[in-house]
Amino acid sequence: MDKTLPDLAAAVAGIEDGMTVMIGGFGGSGAPIELVHALIDRFLATGHPKNLTVVNNNAGNGHVGLAALIEQGMVAKLICSFPRSADPRVFTDAYLAGKIELELVPQGTLAERIRAGGAGIPAFYTPTSFGTDLAKGKPVEEFEGRAYVQERWLKADYALVKADRGDTLGNLTYRMAARNFGPLMCMAARTAIVQVSALVEPGSIDPETVVTPGIFVQGIVQVANPAQEEDLNRANARYPEDAA
Amino acid sequence: MSKLTSTQIAWRAAQDIADGAYVNLGIGFPEMVAKFQPPGRQAIFHTENGILGFGEAPAAGSEDWDLINAGKKAVTIKPGTAFFHHADSFAMVRGGHLDVAILGAYEVAETGDLANWSTGPKGVPAVGGAMDLVHGAKRVAVITDHVTKDGKPKLVKTCTLPLTGVGCVTRVYTSLAVVDVQDGRFVLREKLAALSFDELQSMTGATLYIDGDVADLTVPEL
């Protein structure tokens, strides 16, 4: 078995109109910039995919990565906790113009909904958001004298995730706080596509250090020196580069 | 009228953090609390995006953007740092494993209700981890000016802004006083010596109760 994909274009080839796509990262850390840009390349060449529902903690920063995906008009709905950043103009403009729908989810609830989606748990109860606007319409139940809000699992057709090392079976390690949502999204997606800085043979990763076991990963592609969103933004980069 | 600066409020809140406490500091103003740990005490700081025991900001130019805090600012690792994914991070939050969370506030009600995430329906709403952080930590403390920029009380009977959490705040450190939330009422613990109780009450939107001694709120020049 070998889950290696030939290139970035092949990695995103199966994403179709209307799909739900989880994109890893917290701000720029862990953002799979190259996979997202490959998806934009496909859209520019073919007009697809569009009308995507994207799950990410944020809503992009500047004009690269997720922000560029939104700027192309490929995203119909965003499920996130914090749609602000140093430069949130792309999302803000689209949202205020009514071009993109927002489902705002508390960050811990977002993480747990994704985890639940990957773990086969359709719903769970959390104290988070009880008595607030974000709990409106959700079932509430009392446990040990305290009120909890019912939240539902979140699943996806695809996850696009950045890891550090990965073997051809899909076992992954991450780099520092770039781990964030990656392991959860790999679990919750029917097809998890991972870009790794180093693609290695099975046996090269100490089994004790595997963070995401390969069962949660369907495709892996090497991007040897991945871009950091923060560095791109400090250089005022845009994607595609000739975008006005 | 003299009042504490933001730095001094942060200093005062830091004095109540025990050695070895696991602490989450909200982004922005609360992050300053980390600077004022009393000598001999070491708290372990948690950040939502998956780090326990991170160190100070690195020098400009030596940032590693895979090593950031919840405010997206670069931090460093130090002996004892641990990384984990987001579900584990919020298990630490909701599961009662944090000793203290220190947050900012727009309003705090005498019932312990907190409003700190939204000023109303205008613009783009954003919540981040605020609604999670107010549940689970053994102490949920707020640091804030005692009144708004327009002089309106921030300690109130009932919050008027959208709530972050119900009955969650246990202590408030303000620019004028230290107030506990206890059994649905504000109990005054410390106030600036130059300020009379009546003056403080007039700047507070709910009744301040006295239960035992009220100490002078004393903070060094910082």
Side-chain angles (χ1 to χ4, degrees):
Chain A
M1 184 165 64
D2 186 348
K3 297 182 181 177
T4 308
L5 297 161
D7 54 32
L8 286 162
V12 300
I15 300 177
E16 294 168 9
D17 290 2
M19 280 187 168
T20 296
V21 181
M22 292 178 173
I23 299 178
F26 179 89
S29 66
I33 297 288
E34 286 77 9
L35 281 170
V36 173
H37 288 177
L39 200 57
I40 292 172
D41 290 347
R42 203 178 126 222
F43 176 76
L44 292 172
T46 68
H48 305 281
K50 55 185 186 325
N51 294 324
L52 298 172
T53 293
V54 167
V55 182
N56 180 266
N57 185 65
N58 301 98
N61 187 9
H63 299 272
V64 296
L66 175 55
L69 199 72
I70 294 168
E71 197 160 30
Q72 291 295 337
M74 298 167 66
V75 183
K77 179 179 178 181
L78 184 70
I79 302 175
C80 82
S81 86
F82 201 74
R84 290 190 196 143
S85 64
D87 179 4
R89 280 175 293 177
V90 168
F91 174 80
T92 300
D93 291 351
Y95 177 78
L96 295 177
K99 290 178 182 162
I100 189 165
E101 185 187 341
L102 171 67
E103 179 179 339
L104 192 70
V105 182
Q107 198 174 123
T109 298
L110 182 65
E112 193 63 16
R113 286 179 65 192
I114 298 167
R115 199 198 71 81
I121 305 290
F124 58 92
Y125 285 90
T126 174
T128 301
S129 91
F130 171 73
T132 76
D133 292 348
L134 297 189
K136 276 182 186 156
K138 293 175 183 168
V140 169
E141 196 157 331
E142 209 174 284
F143 298 90
E144 298 182 7
R146 201 171 158 202
Y148 294 81
V149 178
Q150 190 194 84
E151 294 282 356
R152 297 196 169 210
W153 60 8
L154 201 49
K155 295 185 284 186
D157 298 295
Y158 271 81
L160 301 179
V161 166
K162 179 189 192 180
D164 185 35
R165 300 177 79 218
D167 67 25
T168 54
L169 298 175
N171 295 303
L172 307 175
T173 66
Y174 297 83
R175 190 166 178 276
M176 302 193 283
R179 182 180 308 190
N180 56 68
F181 286 90
L184 311 173
M185 290 180 169
C186 284
M187 292 167 65
R190 194 159 42 78
T191 305
I193 303 292
V194 182
Q195 65 170 75
V196 291
S197 301
L199 181 61
V200 297
E201 288 303 315
S204 302
I205 300 174
D206 179 349
E208 293 283 7
T209 67
V210 169
V211 177
T212 293
I215 191 171
F216 297 127
V217 173
Q218 282 68 46
I220 190 162
V221 61
Q222 178 168 296
V223 177
N225 292 296
Q228 281 286 7
E229 187 181 86
E230 183 71 24
D231 290 331
L232 295 177
N233 279 326
R234 285 177 179 225
N236 293 313
R238 289 177 167 269
Y239 198 83
E241 279 163 34
D242 55 3
Chain B
M1 184 199 67
S2 81
K3 61 170 195 166
L4 301 187
T5 62
S6 295
T7 313
Q8 289 176 309
I9 301 170
W11 180 91
R12 176 62 192 85
Q15 306 314 301
D16 290 347
I17 298 175
D19 185 37
Y22 287 94
V23 180
N24 183 293
L25 302 175
I27 64 176
F29 168 29
E31 289 178 57
M32 256 200 286
V33 172
K35 285 200 273 187
F36 299 116
Q37 290 181 78
R41 287 191 228 164
Q42 194 186 7
I44 297 165
F45 293 101
H46 166 270
T47 183
E48 292 94 307
N49 55 312
I51 318 176
L52 261 183
F54 59 89
E56 290 170 10
S62 59
E63 299 93 346
D64 184 325
W65 299 112
D66 284 340
L67 190 54
I68 59 173
N69 64 14
K72 317 284 191 324
K73 294 197 202 74
V75 294
T76 47
I77 54 174
K78 57 184 192 180
T81 296
F83 298 124
F84 36 87
H85 63 58
H86 245 84
D88 279 355
S89 182
F90 281 88
M92 294 173 195
V93 172
R94 283 186 249 91
H97 307 285
L98 290 179
D99 295 293
V100 192
I102 299 180
L103 306 161
Y106 299 135
E107 293 173 321
V108 181
E110 62 182 359
T111 51
D113 293 0
L114 173 67
N116 81 345
W117 77 282
S118 168
T119 52
K122 277 182 298 188
V124 179
V127 65
M131 286 191 185
D132 305 279
L133 280 169
V134 297
H135 297 287
K138 295 179 185 81
R139 295 202 298 121
V140 176
V142 159
I143 56 175
T144 177
D145 245 303
H146 201 85
V147 296
T148 67
K149 288 196 179 78
D150 316 333
K152 294 200 185 81
K154 295 183 80 164
L155 277 63
V156 295
K157 244 185 127 43
T158 310
C159 293
T160 58
L161 292 168
L163 291 184
T164 307
V166 175
C168 52
V169 175
T170 57
R171 174 165 269 203
V172 188
Y173 302 92
T174 81
S175 47
L176 304 177
V178 177
V179 175
D180 280 341
V181 175
Q182 220 170 285
D183 305 323
R185 51 187 209 170
F186 287 129
V187 178
L188 181 62
R189 295 300 178 196
E190 298 177 16
K191 67 169 182 62
L192 290 179
L195 193 68
S196 74
F197 177 85
D198 289 345
E199 284 172 308
L200 184 66
Q201 180 64 74
S202 73
M203 287 180 278
T204 308
T207 306
L208 287 171
Y209 288 86
I210 292 177
D211 177 10
D213 290 342
V214 175
D216 288 342
L217 172 53
T218 50
V219 171
E221 293 298 325
L222 292 165

